[in-house]
């Protein structure tokens, strides 16, 4: 008895998948950090059970326990009750009794949760959870569209192009940061950063006619300094966004550098996506999903930071009084 999937349900399924993939990523961390995966996996399953109840118009209340849903949702005959009981016991042991799970317990939880979603999401909605694009949760429209194109490219067998499109989506996030003028965030933004090498080039132009043979050495030193400062500013950006630099390093390693302007020229973009530099990449699903999840997480963090770094109320009022041309 599968129900139709409306837009709101798709968004909730996308969020559920995002939480599930977060749990999968946490499980790969060394213990005891990997233990937190049990909390995310349990949350993802419970949110799906609530969504299924809503979609099937089955009332619930705060007294409904996790395992009660298998009785409440008899109309769809939910499976994998035993596996979810194991997950529930392990999660409760960790959260309420401080019982640290073993590596084997976490691995079993991953297997059980995957099997639960793989079997039960189609039972309720007639579609696989893995077909739901997590990009639905991205608030920035341009970033969401590029990420959706990346997902479509990957499913079409164009893994290299998918990675390049995700690099473009991340570039859109970083370029869209419009911090209030004069703040430290504005000085750290990509918009305020000149390309590395510009100062060195000016130095060479100014002193290139000099007979001093050390001018070239100094220019190269200036260029290296520019690169170092640019790297530090980029690292500080990720610190502001609350990101992990080692995750960003992996993302950079997996995805091809899209260049700074190529996204603004459609013909150049198509040419780039078909280039050997892009097509030679053949990512696994895990690698692609890691990069996509990185974009989604960064987009959400950027939206959260932007909401907290808004213009002061009096500045908003002043701009409003100027009218639309202000």
């Amino acid at each position: 008895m599968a129900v139709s999937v409306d837009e709101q349900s798709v968004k909730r399924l996308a969020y559920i998948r995002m939480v599930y993939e977060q749990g999968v990523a946490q499980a790969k961390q060394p213990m005891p950090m990997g233990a937190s995966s049990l909390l995310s996996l349990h949350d993802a399953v419970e949110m799906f059970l609530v969504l299924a109840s809503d979609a099937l118009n089955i009332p619930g209340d705060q007294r409904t326990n996790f395992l009660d849903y298998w009785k409440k949702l008899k109309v769809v005959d939910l499976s994998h009750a035993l596996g979810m009981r194991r997950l529930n016991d392990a999660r409760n042991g960790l959260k309420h009794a401080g019982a640290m799970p073993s590596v084997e317990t976490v691995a079993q939880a991953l297997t059980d949760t995957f099997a639960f979603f793989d079997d039960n999401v189609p039972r309720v909605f007639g579609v696989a959870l893995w077909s739901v694009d997590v990009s639905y949760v991205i608030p920035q429209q341009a970033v969401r569209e590029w990420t959706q194109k990346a997902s479509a490219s990957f499913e079409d067998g164009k893994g290299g192009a998918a990675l390049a499109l995700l690099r473009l989506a991340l570039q859109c996030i970083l370029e869209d940061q419009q911090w209030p003028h004069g703040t430290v965030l504005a000085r750290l933004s990509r918009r305020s950063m000149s390309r590395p090498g510009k100062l060195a080039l000016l130095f060479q132009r100014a002193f290139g006619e000099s007979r001093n043979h050390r001018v070239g050495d100094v220019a190269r030193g200036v260029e290296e300094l520019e690169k170092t400062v640019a790297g530090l500013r980029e690292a500080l950006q990720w610190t502001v966004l609350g990101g992990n630099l080692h995750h960003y390093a992996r993302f950079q390693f997996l995805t091809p550098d899209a260049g700074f302007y190529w996204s603004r020229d459609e013909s150049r973009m198509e040419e780039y996506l078909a280039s050997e530099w892009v097509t030679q990449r053949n990512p696994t699903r895990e690698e692609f999903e890691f990069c996509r999840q990185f974009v989604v997480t960064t987009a959400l963090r950027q939206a959260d930071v932007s909401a907290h770094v808004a213009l002061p109320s009096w500045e908003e009022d002043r701009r409003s009084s100027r009218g639309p041309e202000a």
Side-chain angles (χ1 to χ4, degrees), residues 23-165:
V24 173
Q26 290 170 331
K28 296 176 182 178
Q29 296 178 317
M31 298 296 282
M33 292 184 293
S36 59
S37 64
L38 297 178
L39 306 179
S40 295
L41 295 175
H42 190 279
D43 285 346
V45 172
E46 190 163 26
M47 283 188 287
F48 171 74
L49 295 172
V50 173
L51 174 59
S53 299
D54 291 343
L56 295 167
N57 293 317
I58 297 176
D61 54 55
Q62 294 181 345
R63 293 175 296 178
T64 302
N65 293 318
F66 182 76
L67 297 174
D68 293 339
Y69 285 99
W70 273 259
K71 296 178 182 178
K72 292 183 59 176
L73 299 174
K74 282 185 177 181
V75 65
V76 290
D77 191 23
L78 290 178
S79 61
H80 297 281
L82 179 60
M84 292 301 96
R85 182 181 293 275
R86 280 195 296 265
L87 173 63
N88 191 55
D89 289 345
R91 176 261 189 185
N92 288 343
L94 172 64
K95 185 173 182 178
H96 301 299
M100 296 302 300
S102 64
V103 174
E104 291 76 17
T105 298
V106 172
Q108 184 65 56
L110 286 174
T111 300
D112 290 337
T113 306
F114 174 84
F116 170 84
F117 282 128
D118 197 49
D119 194 30
N120 288 303
V121 176
R123 289 182 186 228
V124 178
F125 293 105
V127 297
L129 180 64
W130 326 120
S131 68
V132 178
D133 194 341
V134 295
S135 61
Y136 276 101
V137 303
I138 296 176
Q140 303 92 333
Q141 181 178 349
V143 179
R144 183 170 62 251
E145 290 174 353
W146 286 118
T147 307
Q148 289 172 342
K149 289 180 181 179
S151 299
S153 293
F154 182 80
E155 297 302 333
D156 197 33
K158 301 175 182 177
L163 293 179
L165 289 166

Side-chain angles (χ1 to χ4, degrees), residues 240-258:
V240 170
L241 290 174
N244 294 316
L245 287 178
H246 57 286
H247 287 175
Y248 182 42
R250 187 187 181 198
F251 179 89
Q252 286 182 306
F253 188 65
L254 288 171
T255 59
D257 187 359

Side-chain angles (χ1 to χ4, degrees), residues 204-222:
Q204 284 183 311
R205 286 177 178 175
F207 300 99
E209 300 299 327
S210 172
R211 295 181 179 180
N212 188 342
H213 67 279
R214 294 186 178 180
V215 169
D217 293 337
V218 174
R220 283 189 289 273
V222 171

